[in-house]
């Protein structure tokens, strides 16, 4: 199993009464009232340091993502972070997992193809190319993408990017949403035929279908942990076997919040405040922000309403504020505790969900820099060595990982000057 | 309550099938509904007493045909769809009444080929933009937030009845799905803001035009009534008390009287 550190790059110091005074953490929280640009610069630099440190401590990959106008994570240009990380880890064998350039919000889509190709070149072929659809907030509310068009725009952008990476000849693209007369990409990625593609989703059938059709890695990204993910992942693996694909665990990715301390009690002392900050402030989102009309296709809309799933999810979102640290830990929203506690739960979660590409969120909410480094240290030293062999007894290759990095890590530190 | 019959038309070279509800007797009147979809209501009943009312459903909003929206890509397609629809129904230059999003479409249809619309009634239409009185981004607001700005008396009986969902679970789910998908289809043409260039085309409207607005509309402020009026030669504005964005629902009797007076003189 490959294990990567995920980072959201949140605002670490929202005021205590944030969720009482403001309607949402996303779209409309006012930057001038809530943040100082100089201090925010420090957050970005800490984030880069923490991810670089995770690489140096032996995590297989380091991940950033893209969000806009969002205090729980604001890397609107994820490839800017990717470039800094590529340089900082140059010469090492850590993967750069860009989770990633949101396709419908980058115009034209060849910009994604170009930037990813640059990252692959700068890093010596260490890119994992995440291709998110884009959240309703980022794509529809902020970037003005018409909801009912979003999926189609995504599919067209994806097809254009893959063709641009591979076509030997210059070509014209006469698409429904993009018209380009002369596509002739410079540079091209090092990895052939193209870097591994990961597709994040939140459980919809159409994303499984898309990932399977193109043989991409499907990543279930939620903040509600492994237990909540069981039904979705069971559905995914069922789909895989019906589709006739090999049940290679490396075709699945999963994100889990993780916090490690010396003991379970000490984990509560050190992390409870930050876990509560994450769920109370970072997920302070009006439920209707998830549903601009047309973002869900008709079948998903209908299924969600008739099954009651949509209502339940929205209800759960509002109930989060009532949860205690113990609730978050008992429900495995966060896997937190001593190294023994964490390694046992995490290994079991990855096994049950059949995850070959695990991502762990080791910086949570308001976690200060030093505590984050401690979490990384304990995870790298005491947890990771006990879980990376999870699928070694099965005959699978990680086809969704840079080929030159498929073995165990050897060059932990970058050698660039 | 009149029972409307329905008929299906095929437009855009057969790409799109649309349902049209029809009721009444008399000269033809086409009603274009707003973003929440078509509801046959007392307002349409009142019109059907003097007119044959044709109420087309926006492609995608007819039951069992949610994918019809895929055949209409943009405002231009939507306008042509409506000419095809008029042709299919055998209507030369009917009266056209449009509400909100439907008002925008009605105005586009009346502007693009002025000969196809006999008289035009616009009920709180969207389609223009002024920075100082922005149209509320109602498609990304919560239902209760929209109710606050769309009704003069949101807690009043009329508003509450309009907003109420059926008690029966299946019927309630049907209504929720219909509301969401109607807005999804309308949103295709007015996301994120409803100004798609109509201001450039309004001068072409030749049909005698009545513009109706609720004085308390906070979704599309009543200032827009004057913005439409000054661009449409010979048009008349009527602003109603005790109404906001749905005057034909909240002040149905007065709206019906005003519309019928205008259309029959």
């Amino acid at each position: 199993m490959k294990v990567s550190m995920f980072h959201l790059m949140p605002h670490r110091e929202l005021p205590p009464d944030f969720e009482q005074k403001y309607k949402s953490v996303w779209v409309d929280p006012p930057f001038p009232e809530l943040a100082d640009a100089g201090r925010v610069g420090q957050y970005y630099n800490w984030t880069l340091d923490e991810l670089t440190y995770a690489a140096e401590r032996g995590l297989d990959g380091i991940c950033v993502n893209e969000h806009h106008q969002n205090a729980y994570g604001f890397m609107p240009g994820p490839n800017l972070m990717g470039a800094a990380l590529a340089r900082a880890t140059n010469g090492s064998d850590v993967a750069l997992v860009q989770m990633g350039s949101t396709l419908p919000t980058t115009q034209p889509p060849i910009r994604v193809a170009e930037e990813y190709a640059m990252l692959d070149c700068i890093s010596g072929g260490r890119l994992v190319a995440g291709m998110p659809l884009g959240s309703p907030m980022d794509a529809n509310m902020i970037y003005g993408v018409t909801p009912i068009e979003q999926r189609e725009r995504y599919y067209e952008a994806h097809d254009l990017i893959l063709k641009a990476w591979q076509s030997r000849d210059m070509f014209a693209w006469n698409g429904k949403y993009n018209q380009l007369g002369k596509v002739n990409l410079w540079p091209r990625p090092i990895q052939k035929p193209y870097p591994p593609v990961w597709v994040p989703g939140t459980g919809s059938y159409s994303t499984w279908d898309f990932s399977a059709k193109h043989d991409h890695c499907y990543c279930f990204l939620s903040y509600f942990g492994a237990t909540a993910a069981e039904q979705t992942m069971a559905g995914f693996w069922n789909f895989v076997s019906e589709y006739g694909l090999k049940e290679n665990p490396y075709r699945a990715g999963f994100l889990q919040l993780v916090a490690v301390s010396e003991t379970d009690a000490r984990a509560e002392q050190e992390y409870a405040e930050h876990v509560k900050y994450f769920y109370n402030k970072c997920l302070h989102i009006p439920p209707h922000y998830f549903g601009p009309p047309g973002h869900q296709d008709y079948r998903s809309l209908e299924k969600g309403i008739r099954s009651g799933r949509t209502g339940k999810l929205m209800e759960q979102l509002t109930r989060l504020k009532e949860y205690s640290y113990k609730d978050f830990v008992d429900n495995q929203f966060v896997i937190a505790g001593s190294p023994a506690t964490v390694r046992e739960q995490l290994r079991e979660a990855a096994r049950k969900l059949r995850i070959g590409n695990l991502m762990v969120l080791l910086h949570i909410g308001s976690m200060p820099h030093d505590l984050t480094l401690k979490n990384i240290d304990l995870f790298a030293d005491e947890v990771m060595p006990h879980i990376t062999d999870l699928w070694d007894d099965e005959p699978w290759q990680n086809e969704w990982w840079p080929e030159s990095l498929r073995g165990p890590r050897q060059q932990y530190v970058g050698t660039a000057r | 309550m009149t029972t409307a019959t329905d008929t299906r038309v095929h437009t855009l070279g057969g790409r799109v099938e649309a349902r049209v509800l029809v009721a009444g007797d008399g000269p033809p009147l086409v009603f274009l509904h707003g973003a929440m979809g078509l509801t046959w209501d007392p307002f349409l009943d009142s019109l059907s007493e003097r007119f044959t009312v044709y109420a087309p459903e926006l492609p995608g909003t007819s039951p069992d045909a949610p994918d019809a929206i895929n055949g209409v890509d943009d405002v231009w397609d939507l306008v042509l769809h409506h000419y095809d629809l008029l042709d299919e129904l055998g209507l030369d230059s009917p009266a056209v009444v449009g509400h909100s999003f439907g008002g925008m479409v009605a105005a586009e249809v009346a502007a693009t080929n002025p000969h196809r619309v006999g008289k035009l009634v616009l009920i709180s239409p969207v389609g223009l933009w002024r920075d100082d009185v922005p149209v509320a981004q109602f498609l990304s607001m919560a239902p209760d937030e929209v109710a606050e700005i769309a009704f003069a008396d949101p807690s009043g009986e009329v508003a509450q009845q309009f907003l109420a969902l059926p008690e029966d679970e299946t019927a309630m789910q049907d209504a929720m799905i219909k509301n969401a998908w109607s807005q999804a289809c309308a949103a295709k043409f007015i996301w994120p803001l409803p100004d798609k260039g109509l201001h450039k085309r309004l001068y072409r409207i030749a049909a005698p035009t009545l513009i109706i607005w609720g004085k308390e509309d906070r979704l599309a402020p009543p200032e827009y009534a004057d913005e439409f009026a000054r661009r449409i030669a010979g048009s008349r504005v009527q602003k109603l008390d005790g109404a906001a964005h749905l005057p034909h629902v909240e002040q149905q009797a007065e709206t019906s009287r005003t519309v019928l007076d205008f259309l029959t003189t």
Side-chain angles (χ1 to χ4, degrees):
Chain A
M1 182 166 68
K2 289 293 189 189
V3 185
S4 302
M5 174 176 170
F6 203 105
H7 208 308
L8 289 170
M9 212 325 279
H11 188 317
R12 304 182 187 204
E13 295 162 321
L14 289 170
D17 60 355
F18 168 75
E19 60 271 38
Q20 281 81 48
K21 277 188 70 182
Y22 298 93
K23 180 179 174 187
S24 174
V25 76
W26 205 337
V27 184
D28 41 73
F31 184 92
E33 279 174 35
L34 290 165
D36 168 76
R39 186 72 176 157
V40 157
Q42 177 68 83
Y43 297 158
Y44 285 120
N45 282 295
W46 274 332
T47 297
L48 290 166
D49 286 345
E50 286 150 14
L51 286 167
T52 308
Y53 188 70
E56 290 172 355
R57 298 300 345 273
L59 276 282
D60 294 307
I62 48 182
C63 325
V64 295
N65 73 345
E66 176 179 329
H67 280 315
H68 302 265
Q69 298 176 198
N70 186 350
Y72 92 50
F74 50 113
M75 294 178 283
N79 296 336
L80 298 182
M81 302 296 278
L85 293 169
R87 184 73 179 146
T89 61
N90 199 27
S92 85
D93 54 5
V94 72
L96 298 169
V97 185
Q98 296 295 104
M99 282 299 275
S101 274
T102 298
L103 300 196
T105 55
T106 314
Q107 289 300 319
I110 52 169
R111 185 61 181 244
V112 175
E114 290 167 319
E115 289 187 359
Y116 275 176
M118 282 180 72
L119 287 178
D120 206 43
C121 288
I122 293 169
S123 68
R126 295 186 284 123
L127 176 72
V128 170
M131 296 201 183
L133 168 73
S135 67
M137 303 75 162
D138 290 332
N140 308 140
M141 294 178 77
I142 295 165
Y143 265 48
V145 175
T146 302
I148 208 172
E149 294 180 349
Q150 191 175 346
R151 249 155 255 278
E152 250 194 349
R153 286 179 178 271
Y154 173 83
Y155 297 142
E156 183 176 318
H158 164 273
D159 292 350
L160 171 54
I161 290 165
L162 261 58
K163 184 168 183 178
W165 276 338
Q166 298 175 89
S167 176
R168 288 197 67 88
D169 302 321
M170 185 161 78
F171 62 92
W173 182 270
N174 185 32
K176 179 171 179 181
Y177 298 106
N178 304 278
Q179 263 194 336
L180 297 168
K182 298 171 196 290
V183 184
N184 169 37
L185 218 74
W186 276 69
R188 301 297 175 104
I190 290 175
Q191 296 182 74
K192 300 282 180 256
Y194 46 79
V197 176
W198 288 16
V199 177
T202 47
S204 86
Y205 184 94
S206 62
T207 314
W208 296 345
D209 195 46
F210 176 80
S211 311
K213 180 173 159 190
H214 296 283
D215 207 21
H216 295 329
C217 178
Y218 172 75
C219 297
F220 184 57
L221 299 188
S222 91
Y223 303 122
F224 302 121
T227 311
E230 274 174 42
Q231 207 183 13
T232 300
M233 290 313 292
F236 171 72
W237 286 114
N238 193 48
F239 172 86
V240 165
S241 97
E242 281 180 2
Y243 202 94
L245 292 171
K246 291 175 283 177
E247 294 181 36
N248 182 337
Y250 294 106
R251 70 165 68 253
F254 182 71
L255 175 68
Q256 175 67 52
L257 275 67
V258 173
V260 196
S261 189
E262 288 83 358
T263 64
D264 291 351
R266 190 144 167 73
E268 177 163 1
Q269 275 168 18
E270 298 199 285
Y271 294 117
E273 170 195 347
H274 308 301
V275 169
K276 302 239 291 283
Y277 178 101
F278 182 83
Y279 286 102
N280 289 353
K281 293 175 167 48
C282 295
L283 299 193
H284 177 59
I285 304 165
H288 71 278
Y289 281 23
F290 288 90
H295 179 84
Q296 272 190 309
D297 61 62
Y298 185 82
R299 273 137 205 94
S300 299
L301 167 73
E302 189 183 30
K303 197 154 166 243
I305 289 175
R306 299 237 190 255
S307 70
R309 183 172 180 249
T310 302
K312 251 197 299 199
L313 280 173
M314 298 299 109
E315 198 202 333
Q316 182 176 59
L317 195 68
T318 33
R319 266 195 294 123
L320 285 180
K321 294 188 170 70
E322 301 159 25
Y323 282 31
S324 64
Y325 171 81
K326 187 172 184 308
D327 292 324
F328 290 124
V329 168
D330 287 350
N331 286 293
Q332 277 195 334
F333 283 23
V334 190
I335 290 181
S338 69
T341 298
V342 172
R343 73 173 81 109
E344 182 195 302
Q345 286 190 31
L346 197 53
R347 190 186 175 91
E348 180 55 17
R351 189 198 63 75
K352 211 164 34 176
L353 303 178
R354 202 167 168 75
I355 302 300
N357 286 307
L358 179 67
M359 291 164 280
V360 289
L361 192 72
L362 296 178
H363 174 275
I364 299 172
S366 48
M367 246 194 227
H369 183 57
D370 290 341
L371 182 59
T372 309
L373 298 181
K374 173 179 176 173
N375 196 19
I376 294 168
D377 275 331
L378 282 175
F379 184 84
D381 293 335
E382 309 280 348
V383 177
M384 202 164 144
H386 302 269
I387 62 176
T388 54
D389 66 332
L390 182 57
W391 304 110
D392 287 1
D393 60 339
E394 294 191 24
W396 308 108
Q397 275 266 46
N398 192 343
E399 298 170 30
W400 298 273
W401 197 258
E403 200 173 346
S404 64
L405 308 179
R406 284 184 194 163
R409 289 210 56 202
Q410 291 171 337
Q411 182 63 46
Y412 282 21
V413 181
T415 55
R417 286 268 86 232
Chain B
M1 187 65 77
T2 314
T3 314
T5 59
D6 69 72
T7 185
R8 306 243 167 195
V9 296
H10 292 86
T11 66
L12 296 181
R15 241 172 38 231
V16 173
E17 185 187 274
R19 190 172 78 145
V20 184
L21 300 190
V22 189
D25 242 318
L29 183 159
V30 175
F31 176 75
L32 301 182
H33 65 78
M36 294 292 284
L38 175 66
T39 304
W40 196 278
D41 60 10
F43 174 66
L44 293 182
D45 270 341
S46 72
L47 299 181
S48 71
E49 285 169 19
R50 307 289 299 275
F51 292 87
T52 307
V53 175
Y54 297 85
E57 291 174 322
L58 179 69
T61 65
S62 302
D64 305 323
D67 293 337
I69 186 62
N70 296 338
V72 193
D73 287 341
D74 48 31
V75 174
W76 194 358
D77 282 353
L78 189 61
V79 169
L80 295 179
H81 157 78
H82 282 89
Y83 293 138
D84 291 352
L85 186 144
L86 294 181
D87 291 344
E88 291 276 298
L89 294 173
L91 305 179
D92 184 42
S93 58
V96 177
V97 179
H99 170 243
S100 189
F101 163 73
M104 178 185 108
V105 179
E108 292 278 13
V109 170
T112 303
N113 186 347
H115 302 292
R116 297 307 297 268
V117 175
K119 279 190 176 175
L120 180 66
V121 178
L122 303 175
I123 305 175
S124 41
V126 296
L128 299 180
W129 183 268
R130 255 173 58 178
D131 283 337
D132 61 323
V133 279
V135 177
Q137 293 173 49
F138 63 97
L139 292 165
S140 50
M141 290 165 65
D144 56 318
E145 292 174 327
V146 179
E148 278 297 309
I149 59 173
F151 289 96
D153 184 10
S155 53
E157 205 190 305
V158 173
Q160 288 298 307
Q161 205 177 48
F162 182 85
L163 297 164
L165 291 170
E167 298 250 316
D168 169 71
E169 193 175 353
T170 308
M172 173 167 42
Q173 292 170 352
D174 289 344
M176 287 169 68
I177 294 165
K178 179 191 171 180
N179 286 350
W181 196 248
S182 298
Q183 290 180 74
C185 295
K188 189 169 186 179
F189 308 100
I190 53 173
W191 191 276
L193 304 175
D195 179 354
K196 305 303 181 190
L198 177 61
H199 67 94
K200 297 183 291 178
R201 301 183 274 277
L202 287 172
Y203 78 93
R204 293 179 53 87
I205 293 176
T209 302
L210 170 67
I211 299 158
I212 296 178
W213 226 285
K215 284 182 184 170
E216 299 184 48
D217 192 346
R218 276 143 296 134
L219 191 156
E223 282 87 337
Y224 285 102
D226 309 307
E227 291 294 335
F228 274 92
R230 66 184 182 80
R231 291 174 171 85
I232 304 172
S235 61
R236 183 156 71 75
V237 172
Q238 188 94 8
K239 291 182 186 170
L240 308 186
D241 292 311
H245 194 62
L246 292 90
H248 61 301
V249 172
E250 220 173 355
Q251 294 296 337
Q252 181 262 309
E254 193 184 349
T255 308
S256 294
R257 233 184 352 260
T258 309
V259 173
L260 287 168
D261 278 346
F262 171 73
L263 291 179
T264 56
T265 44

